[in-house]
Amino acid sequence: MSKRLSLYKFSDIDNAFVGLAFTSTNGKKPRFNSLANILQLLNNLGCKAIIKQYPVQDSDYYAEYSKYYSKTFASIDKYCHRLHFFSTAPLDNEDSLDYIDRVHVDNSSDYLGFMTIRPIRSSPVAATIIRPPAGNHFVLAHEEFLVHLAGRTFSIRATPFMQQDNAVGACAQASIWMALRTLRKREGNSAFDPAQITSAATRFLTRGRTLPNREGLSVEQIIEAVRFAGYSSHIIWLKGHSEKILDDALENAKRKIYTYVESEIPVILGLFPPSPQSGHAVVLIGHGWDATIKPNSIGNYTMPHNSTLNMFHSVSWVNDFYIHNDNTGPYLKLKDRSDQDYALEQAVFAVPLLPSDVFITGEEAEATSLEVILQMIKEYLETKSAELLQVDVKPVVVRTYLSERYRFREWVAKNASMADILKRYYREKEFPKRIWITEICLLDNYAESDKNNANRIGEVILDPTGEPNDTPFLSAHINVTALLGKAGPGILVDRSSSGEAIEVLRVDDDTVYPALCRN
Amino acid sequence: MATSTLGAIISEVLETGEKRVLSETERQQFYEDFYRDVSEKIEDIRNDQRKAYEEGKNLILA
């Protein structure tokens, strides 16, 4: 009886692959960037052991095989290898099953994830789910996956990764696959295999051969595949194709896509580097944070009594975004600018996988909420006498994200600092399934919001199914006295979902409370 | 950004602590003020959107 599982030590990157799968590198570093970077990631995560599984009938590769590889004259295996990675060191001569049982009982969190190796020499990395690296960054588009291995179940929170096979799909299909697979559990929508993505994208518009598909996909085909999978076919323009983007425009582009990244939505980014001329798709899944960055103001608004409100945006502290790049690997930094590598400055458009029941886009939500915030602050200051405005209006920072209603309520229920009246209001208020939230924080300490040190003074909550021009906010709360550096009441404006009733309430003993922090 | 009736209501509520429901006239005024301030920004965003569809549709990612 042949054994389906084998245990290997992971001692160094250069030799990690020897004897593991058909892609044996004979002691040399793998020539595939994705593979090399995954091995580097595993090394950084403290990988000590690999359980090799063979044969594995991987559903995604099997679909590629059925559609294409089964028709080739050359014999190509229909099975994959799957490598499971652990940070528990194996004992000498330890049996695979004994090792799995021991890790499961003693420390199941030592499971680091798995990589599927498809039997295609030029593009071996198929469905791969590996834990993100540690560090001062936020991988937000991710999901918890249960992995069943020899009767034991391990859990891992990660963002799925795959390399294009360059026959059934190119980078665009791989990026769509990664985005769909990340959202499948959360949204309950289709998570197509690469062959289905190519079919969906080329249903109505073909620009050449669909199999093998070496030409990639056009933007129209990408958004058709996204729409067919159940998401909104929303596309965001970032700059002209060969236009050099200036710093202000780049900051603006970052702000547009950051809203979706903060909403835990994967964003397909179309990059057009100077060379080669063709574009390349990557998936944005998170962002870094640098507390030392000096933020740029997004507006210095004239307020009553010769005062001003200086407003900043949370994206100012985002130094890099994090991407899955099918041809170089998972969890990689995407810098703003680079002469050597892919960079955000090359991004022409973005396609966030916005749920189809969200009618207000991130850009519209933020514009609408900022108007509500400015109006409330202005109206409040209007009522103050000039004498009371000896204290400057404190600068604020805004951040907008889409949240599920239950997660917002969970956050409220756990929030120990929020005024009780406000907590009760938010926990009982009728909200739709999802809500756009624009939070307002004081600039003081905001750079350390990654350590949960931000001082939040309010939020505007929008109905994402509303019409932006029709004031679709459901709640707007601002601790207006904290804006003047004082303690005192805040204001809550409640609007019914129909818009037929608007009520203004005083929030006694209003407080400042931490901003949402997901590290 | 124009002055609306909201300021007076906020002031009143902060002063008295009593919640205040906007009358129909006040509500309409509030919506009108808001529409005037926000509609241009939303139109700009939608123009960018149209540009994205128009200029981006033929770009190829491979």
Side-chain angles (χ1 to χ4, degrees):
Chain A
M1 187 181 70
S2 63
K3 286 186 69 176
R4 198 165 159 261
L5 302 172
S6 334
L7 176 61
Y8 294 80
K9 282 185 180 170
F10 184 105
S11 49
D12 67 278
I13 301 173
D14 290 346
N15 293 311
F17 238 68
V18 176
L20 273 176
F22 83 100
T23 44
S24 167
T25 56
N26 299 321
K28 294 176 186 169
K29 282 190 176 179
R31 63 191 171 91
F32 317 111
N33 286 336
S34 298
L35 204 51
N37 282 328
I38 289 171
L39 293 175
Q40 183 64 56
L41 168 63
L42 288 163
N43 193 53
N44 296 345
L45 289 171
C47 183
K48 296 280 193 301
I50 303 174
I51 291 281
K52 181 177 86 170
Q53 232 182 338
Y54 181 85
V56 171
Q57 191 169 333
D58 177 75
S59 58
D60 291 296
Y61 170 67
Y62 197 65
E64 294 171 332
Y65 178 84
S66 303
K67 196 84 177 174
Y68 181 74
Y69 296 106
S70 61
K71 299 176 175 68
T72 60
F73 178 66
S75 172
I76 295 178
D77 196 349
K78 68 175 179 181
Y79 296 109
C80 294
H81 289 73
R82 184 164 290 156
L83 310 177
H84 297 267
F85 305 99
F86 298 86
S87 58
T88 299
L91 305 173
D92 287 343
N93 301 318
E94 191 171 19
D95 176 75
S96 317
L97 288 179
D98 292 341
Y99 175 81
I100 292 168
D101 289 346
R102 182 165 68 88
V103 175
H104 187 261
V105 170
D106 293 348
N107 206 346
S108 64
S109 63
D110 279 3
Y111 182 67
L112 303 175
F114 69 83
M115 169 165 55
T116 308
I117 303 291
R118 55 161 92 87
I120 308 301
R121 195 167 292 275
S122 58
S123 51
V125 182
T128 295
I129 297 179
I130 294 177
R131 184 186 295 176
N136 196 25
H137 53 251
F138 298 85
V139 174
L140 297 172
H142 59 172
E143 188 49 81
E144 187 172 3
F145 295 90
L146 296 180
V147 180
H148 307 292
L149 180 60
R152 300 296 189 188
T153 300
F154 296 92
S155 164
I156 182 167
R157 185 162 277 282
T159 313
F161 175 81
M162 176 189 276
Q163 182 183 29
Q164 63 177 290
D165 77 327
N166 202 28
V168 178
C171 63
Q173 285 94 325
S175 296
I176 295 170
W177 180 90
M178 293 188 260
L180 292 179
R181 201 50 62 101
T182 303
L183 292 173
R184 175 165 66 172
K185 190 170 161 189
R186 200 191 318 164
E187 297 299 333
N189 282 335
S190 304
F192 297 156
D193 57 57
Q196 288 172 316
I197 291 170
T198 299
S199 296
T202 56
R203 275 194 319 158
F204 303 120
L205 182 65
T206 52
R207 293 171 174 271
R209 303 186 66 180
T210 54
L211 274 176
N213 183 290
R214 306 197 201 282
E215 308 308 318
L217 298 178
S218 70
V219 174
E220 273 188 318
Q221 291 172 319
I222 290 171
I223 59 175
E224 170 56 20
V226 166
R227 187 199 64 78
F228 192 62
Y231 297 88
S232 172
S233 48
H234 180 44
I235 177 167
I236 302 166
W237 190 250
L238 302 174
K239 73 171 185 87
H241 176 258
S242 43
E243 174 191 332
K244 182 157 177 61
I245 192 164
L246 301 174
D247 286 347
D248 284 354
L250 187 63
E251 186 81 2
N252 203 25
K254 282 178 79 170
R255 190 174 146 190
K256 287 179 186 173
I257 52 181
Y258 173 72
T259 297
Y260 297 97
V261 174
E262 279 291 355
S263 303
E264 305 177 4
I265 290 173
V267 180
I268 297 166
L269 208 55
L271 302 175
F272 288 81
S275 174
Q277 281 299 307
S278 61
H280 180 59
V282 297
V283 190
L284 269 182
I285 54 170
H287 67 82
W289 191 263
D290 181 355
T292 65
I293 289 176
K294 192 173 182 302
N296 295 320
S297 170
I298 59 166
N300 210 356
Y301 300 95
T302 303
M303 291 284 154
H305 308 300
N306 298 320
S307 57
T308 55
L309 174 69
N310 202 357
M311 190 177 278
F312 296 83
H313 197 282
S314 181
V315 76
S316 289
W317 288 272
V318 171
N319 46 357
D320 306 305
F321 282 107
Y322 276 73
I323 56 168
H324 270 9
N325 181 351
D326 90 285
N327 68 19
T328 52
Y331 308 117
L332 301 175
K333 283 182 183 177
L334 182 74
K335 294 190 170 302
D336 283 359
R337 296 187 187 278
S338 173
D339 294 331
Q340 316 291 327
D341 208 348
Y342 290 118
L344 188 65
E345 64 175 330
Q346 302 153 3
V348 169
F349 68 90
V351 177
L353 267 69
L354 191 62
S356 57
D357 59 357
V358 175
F359 302 152
I360 295 183
T361 67
E363 306 89 291
E364 290 170 343
E366 190 154 278
T368 304
S369 293
L370 291 190
E371 204 53 52
V372 174
I373 293 167
L374 288 173
Q375 197 147 327
M376 280 181 70
I377 293 175
K378 186 194 168 203
E379 301 297 348
Y380 165 70
L381 294 175
E382 194 81 67
T383 67
K384 310 296 286 182
S385 74
E387 187 188 339
L388 283 174
L389 287 176
Q390 297 295 315
V391 182
D392 290 337
V393 180
K394 286 187 162 290
V396 296
V397 185
V398 293
R399 175 175 66 154
T400 301
Y401 50 89
L402 186 71
S403 172
E404 283 155 316
R405 172 186 58 205
Y406 84 92
R407 291 185 67 191
F408 173 66
R409 286 204 174 119
E410 272 180 358
W411 174 81
V412 168
K414 286 181 195 162
N415 196 320
S417 322
M418 187 182 269
D420 192 54
I421 183 176
L422 203 57
K423 287 176 79 162
R424 288 176 178 278
Y425 165 78
Y426 282 139
R427 293 177 72 183
E428 290 201 61
K429 163 84 177 169
E430 184 189 4
F431 286 127
K433 181 185 169 193
R434 306 174 210 272
I435 44 180
W436 278 113
I437 301 172
T438 296
E439 60 176 32
I440 315 144
C441 295
L442 297 176
L443 178 63
D444 311 338
N445 292 342
Y446 195 81
E448 292 187 5
S449 63
D450 60 325
K451 297 179 180 65
N452 221 6
N453 287 339
N455 292 321
R456 180 158 159 174
I457 60 165
E459 51 281 314
V460 173
I461 297 178
L462 292 190
D463 170 8
T465 64
E467 163 54 46
N469 283 323
D470 288 346
T471 332
F473 80 94
L474 297 168
S475 308
H477 158 248
I478 303 179
N479 182 342
V480 281
T481 47
L483 267 179
L484 304 181
K486 296 179 177 181
I491 279 290
L492 171 66
V493 182
D494 173 75
R495 179 178 172 275
S496 65
S497 54
S498 67
E500 293 298 307
I502 297 179
E503 202 170 86
V504 182
L505 301 95
R506 187 173 79 181
V507 180
D508 289 325
D509 303 321
D510 206 353
T511 57
V512 293
Y513 39 94
L516 175 69
C517 186
R518 291 164 287 196
N519 56 5
Chain B
M1 199 166 54
T3 306
S4 77
T5 52
L6 188 63
I9 298 168
I10 287 178
S11 176
E12 179 192 321
V13 170
L14 282 173
E15 183 71 29
T16 64
E18 294 294 320
K19 69 179 179 186
R20 170 83 148 72
V21 179
L22 270 65
S23 68
E24 191 172 341
T25 313
E26 289 168 336
R27 210 170 58 236
Q28 278 174 2
Q29 180 67 47
F30 175 75
Y31 286 141
E32 277 171 28
D33 291 344
F34 184 86
Y35 180 81
R36 188 186 54 237
D37 293 334
V38 85
S39 56
E40 199 176 317
K41 289 169 189 160
I42 298 297
E43 192 50 35
D44 285 347
I45 290 168
R46 290 182 177 168
N47 280 335
D48 280 351
Q49 194 81 50
R50 291 178 196 111
K51 186 176 173 187
Y53 284 116
E54 199 48 46
E55 297 194 21
K57 64 184 179 187
N58 292 320
L59 296 174
I60 305 280
L61 300 180

